[in-house]
Amino acid sequence: MTYILYNTHAGNQHVEQELESLVSSFQGNAEKKDVTSIDYKTFIPTLTKEDTVILCGGDGTLNHFVNDTDGLDIECDVLYYPAGSGNDFARDIECSAHDHPVPVKQYFENLPLAEVKGKQYRFINNVGFGIDGYCCEVGDILKKKSDKPVNYTAIAIKGLLFHYHPTNATVIVDGKKYEYKKVWLAPTMKGRYYGGGMIATPAQDRNDPEGNLSVMIFHGSGKLQTLMIFPSIFKGEHIKKEKYVTVHTGHEISVSFDRPTALQIDGETILGVTEYSVKSKVPAKIS
């Protein structure tokens, strides 16, 4: 049996439109399940090697799946059909909603672990701290008020100009401590993309054999200078501005701010955070 697990809240709540062509391609041999009502600890053990699971949604759907199934043995194939509003994981592995569902089970192995407010989370793309968390916070508020698509770029620009104030940050990478003033962004990345197409860390490889992660710090610039540099993130060219953008790589990374702000993990918001830490799960070396 093929089970299509879809998130009714993905893709600005229009994911069911994406399901039509996907379901019809199986000619009635597929069963849809709303992920918001699944108990994975009950569902996963019922699957056999002959079954197939297709995840239909966005980065948040993937994030919930890897966390809700953490520690469970999934015997069947797991495929992905991107139908979210950001689809940064899909960008990173170079697939689109116009493709057939692609195998993704291999990407769920050796995922890094983030700790925020004493709770641990696996993540697919990134842990973001700064104006990206602010954008997710505002986006969540707008989603509750309307089902119209949320323009995160517009939120970011307004935040840069009027509402968001940068923080001072302490970043520790594999034991080395760095101090930064006026920090706008400080995400730790498993992949290259986040925020709906921003190439935060162009050199980051989610399949890095050493399991390295990258933390990008956008710092030291005023509002207008930041606004001028910000669009270049969508091409990954912001890293050329070495005075304002620094990238470190490592296996253990922590970031602390001097005031509470919103944080996001694969687009899922956590409010009032002052620090986060990340540990990479290094793949076992095969001799």
Side-chain angles (χ1 to χ4, degrees), residues 4-11 13 15-16 19 32-41 43 54-58 60-65 68-69 268:
I4 300 176
L5 311 186
Y6 69 99
N7 183 356
T8 55
H9 300 295
Q13 299 184 3
V15 67
E16 293 194 54
L19 281 172
K32 294 191 299 181
K33 286 183 174 291
D34 183 349
V35 296
T36 62
S37 62
I38 292 179
D39 178 357
Y40 284 108
K41 291 183 179 179
F43 173 65
I54 300 177
L55 300 172
C56 183
T61 302
L62 293 171
N63 178 276
H64 281 286
F65 183 82
D68 292 344
T69 62
E268 302 296 297

Side-chain angles (χ1 to χ4, degrees), residues 22 59 64 76 99-100 139 154 159 173 192 199 213 235 246 257 277 287:
L22 182 60
D59 298 309
H64 281 286
C76 66
D99 300 327
H100 293 293
V173 181
R192 294 170 294 169
I199 313 175
L213 304 172
K235 293 184 178 180
T246 305
F257 281 2
S277 62
S287 58

Side-chain angles (χ1 to χ4, degrees), residues 23-272:
V23 173
S24 64
S25 67
F26 290 95
Q27 300 178 342
N29 294 319
E31 179 181 337
K32 294 191 299 181
K33 286 183 174 291
D34 183 349
V35 296
T36 62
S37 62
I38 292 179
D39 178 357
Y40 284 108
K41 291 183 179 179
T42 301
F43 173 65
I44 295 298
T46 68
L47 301 174
T48 68
K49 293 181 179 179
E50 287 70 36
D51 294 321
T52 300
V53 167
I54 300 177
L55 300 172
C56 183
D59 298 309
T61 302
L62 293 171
N63 178 276
H64 281 286
F65 183 82
V66 298
N67 280 286
D68 292 344
T69 62
D70 193 24
L72 300 178
D73 185 18
I74 304 175
E75 294 188 355
C76 66
D77 291 334
V78 179
L79 311 182
Y80 178 53
Y81 184 84
S85 55
N87 295 328
D88 289 308
F89 173 77
R91 284 188 181 88
D92 203 38
I93 67 169
E94 299 180 348
C95 78
S96 73
H98 302 292
D99 300 327
H100 293 293
V102 296
V104 292
K105 192 174 178 180
Q106 69 273 26
Y107 297 109
F108 297 166
E109 299 175 355
N110 302 309
L111 288 175
L113 191 67
E115 182 168 330
V116 183
K117 288 186 169 182
K119 187 174 180 180
Q120 295 183 325
Y121 307 83
R122 296 289 178 192
F123 62 94
I124 287 285
N125 294 322
N126 78 99
V127 179
F129 207 15
I131 198 169
D132 50 349
Y134 163 83
C135 289
C136 288
E137 179 183 6
V138 174
D140 290 346
I141 295 172
L142 294 177
K143 287 177 182 178
K144 292 178 181 179
K145 295 180 178 179
S146 171
D147 61 355
K148 293 181 180 179
V150 175
N151 188 332
Y152 287 98
T153 301
I155 295 173
I157 292 172
K158 291 179 181 178
L160 284 170
L161 288 175
F162 307 111
H163 306 297
Y164 185 79
H165 302 286
T167 66
N168 297 325
T170 299
V171 179
I172 301 175
V173 181
D174 291 345
K176 294 183 179 180
K177 185 177 180 180
Y178 308 89
E179 302 281 355
Y180 296 97
K181 303 290 186 182
K182 297 175 67 175
V183 173
W184 296 93
L185 292 169
T188 294
M189 308 292 297
K190 169 68 172 174
R192 294 170 294 169
Y193 293 87
Y194 86 136
M198 294 192 294
I199 313 175
T201 49
Q204 174 63 24
D205 179 5
R206 70 170 55 250
N207 297 316
D208 179 66
E210 300 298 325
N212 280 304
L213 304 172
S214 298
V215 57
M216 184 271 287
I217 306 97
F218 192 158
H219 60 93
S221 56
K223 288 187 176 183
L224 292 179
Q225 185 69 37
T226 302
L227 190 60
M228 292 175 63
I229 297 173
F230 191 78
S232 66
I233 296 180
F234 289 92
K235 293 184 178 180
E237 296 179 351
H238 61 298
I239 61 172
K240 296 178 182 179
K241 306 292 184 180
E242 296 181 0
K243 180 179 178 180
Y244 303 114
V245 179
T246 305
V247 178
H248 300 288
T249 61
H251 294 99
E252 295 189 15
I253 298 169
S254 68
V255 179
S256 59
F257 281 2
D258 62 358
R259 67 171 174 82
T261 188
L263 172 145
Q264 59 83 23
I265 302 178
D266 292 337
E268 302 296 297
T269 314
I270 302 175
L271 302 178

